């Protein structure tokens, strides 16, 4: 039995982001998707006709693999926006560091502006 492919090997059958409902690639092949019901802690089949409890999925861990969450375009955009924000903030903070030359600080300010503008592209 292997639990290494689950986000937390100590909690096989619990998905990444267990506090959120959503689709995950899970099963015998990565072509299967199951719906995670965070409130009830159930896995539903792709048509939401029947569910599997955590214990039922854990029992199948030797043959079930967890491939990861199926992210929506909105979720991907939110993640990218947060990453851009972090990078721009880091550039801004570094641009105030006097250990850098004026040219380097100017370049960091330009990088900050460029990173922030990435999110405004059509």
């Amino acid at each position: 039995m292997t639990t290494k492919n689950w986000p937390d090997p100590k909690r096989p059958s619990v998905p990444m982001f267990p506090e959120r409902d959503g689709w995950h690639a899970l099963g015998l092949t990565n072509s299967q998707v199951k719906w995670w019901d965070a409130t009830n802690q159930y896995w539903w089949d792709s048509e939401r006709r029947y569910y599997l409890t955590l214990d039922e999925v854990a029992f199948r861990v030797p043959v079930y693999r967890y491939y990861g969450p199926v992210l929506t375009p909105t979720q991907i955009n939110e993640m990218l926006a947060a990453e851009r924000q972090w990078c721009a903030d880091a550039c801004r903070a570094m641009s105030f560091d006097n250990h850098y030359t004026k040219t380097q600080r100017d370049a960091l300010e330009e990088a900050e502006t460029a990173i922030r503008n990435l999110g405004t592209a059509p």
Side-chain angles (χ1 to χ4, degrees):
M1 168 151 107
T2 180
T3 59
K4 292 180 182 172
N5 56 352
W6 289 87
D8 181 353
K10 295 177 184 167
R11 295 176 58 199
S13 74
V14 177
M16 189 178 293
F17 313 120
E19 69 284 353
R20 289 191 240 162
D21 291 343
W23 292 105
H24 295 260
L26 165 78
L28 303 174
T29 67
N30 63 357
S31 63
Q32 294 181 333
V33 292
K34 299 204 181 303
W35 177 262
W36 172 249
D37 180 337
T39 303
N40 298 306
Q41 304 277 289
Y42 291 152
W43 287 102
W44 291 88
D45 72 320
S46 61
E47 295 173 11
R48 296 178 78 174
R49 293 173 296 170
Y50 67 89
Y51 66 86
L52 297 168
T53 65
L54 289 175
D55 288 341
E56 290 171 319
V57 172
F59 177 76
R60 294 180 171 132
V61 163
V63 293
Y64 265 29
R65 291 188 56 83
Y66 180 78
Y67 295 93
V70 178
L71 301 175
T72 66
T74 300
Q75 290 170 315
I76 292 169
N77 287 337
E78 288 170 354
M79 289 171 57
L80 290 173
E83 191 172 310
R84 282 192 302 272
Q85 180 70 41
W86 184 90
C87 291
D89 290 347
C91 287
R92 181 166 184 75
M94 291 170 63
S95 72
F96 289 112
D97 189 334
N98 288 329
H99 289 93
Y100 295 104
T101 67
K102 169 101 170 84
T103 303
Q104 290 171 321
R105 289 193 308 269
D106 289 346
L108 285 163
E109 287 177 16
E110 287 179 32
E112 176 195 358
T113 300
I115 291 166
R116 291 196 193 283
N117 289 336
L118 286 173
T120 60

